[in-house]
Amino acid sequence: MTNSHERPVIRGLELRYVLVLALLGWKAPLSVAELVAAVERAGFSPPGRPGKAVADALRWEVRRGRVLRAGRDKYIVGYVAKVTRYRMQTRVARMRTHGVYRPAA
């Protein structure tokens, strides 16, 4: 595994997409630590405190219904429409090939 400093840092929408896709791939409850590892396996690094960044991103997706809490520190995929899944997969693939897009502030 490469050093976390060599991986691009993702946050916000990109982080949420990677997390939902990881849950879609497993179809079993995953802990926050397992999801942090999944983000790193995908070639990215969560910002700051990784566990907190992932938990915050999951909270947003729980409100959308794409992720469900399966207990304390356990999450499972909820309902993700086909077109949404395709959009997520396309954006993550684009991030892998072209890098993470960051608009100028």
Side-chain angles (χ1 to χ4, degrees):
M1 181 96 19
T2 61
N3 188 351
S4 65
H5 297 291
E6 297 172 9
R7 292 186 211 111
V9 175
I10 59 170
R11 56 181 50 89
L13 183 64
E14 290 91 5
L15 178 58
R16 294 195 319 262
Y17 280 4
V18 171
L19 292 170
V20 171
L21 290 174
L23 286 168
L24 278 166
W26 281 94
K27 299 198 191 264
L30 294 176
S31 69
V32 171
E34 292 168 327
L35 287 165
V36 169
V39 170
E40 291 172 350
R41 275 193 307 274
F44 304 106
S45 180
R49 293 175 25 207
K52 181 171 180 359
V54 166
D56 290 346
L58 289 170
R59 186 171 34 251
W60 176 276
E61 291 300 325
V62 166
R63 285 195 306 258
R64 294 273 182 234
R66 294 182 193 137
V67 173
L68 304 171
R69 283 188 59 139
R72 185 169 184 235
D73 189 44
K74 292 287 184 180
Y75 295 88
I76 192 164
V77 71
Y79 174 75
V80 182
K82 261 193 208 180
V83 68
T84 304
R85 185 178 319 146
Y86 175 78
R87 186 179 337 113
M88 290 176 174
Q89 292 167 338
T90 303
R91 187 154 181 169
V92 170
R94 193 174 332 127
M95 287 186 319
R96 284 192 181 116
T97 58
H98 300 295
V100 178
Y101 172 71
R102 287 281 155 236

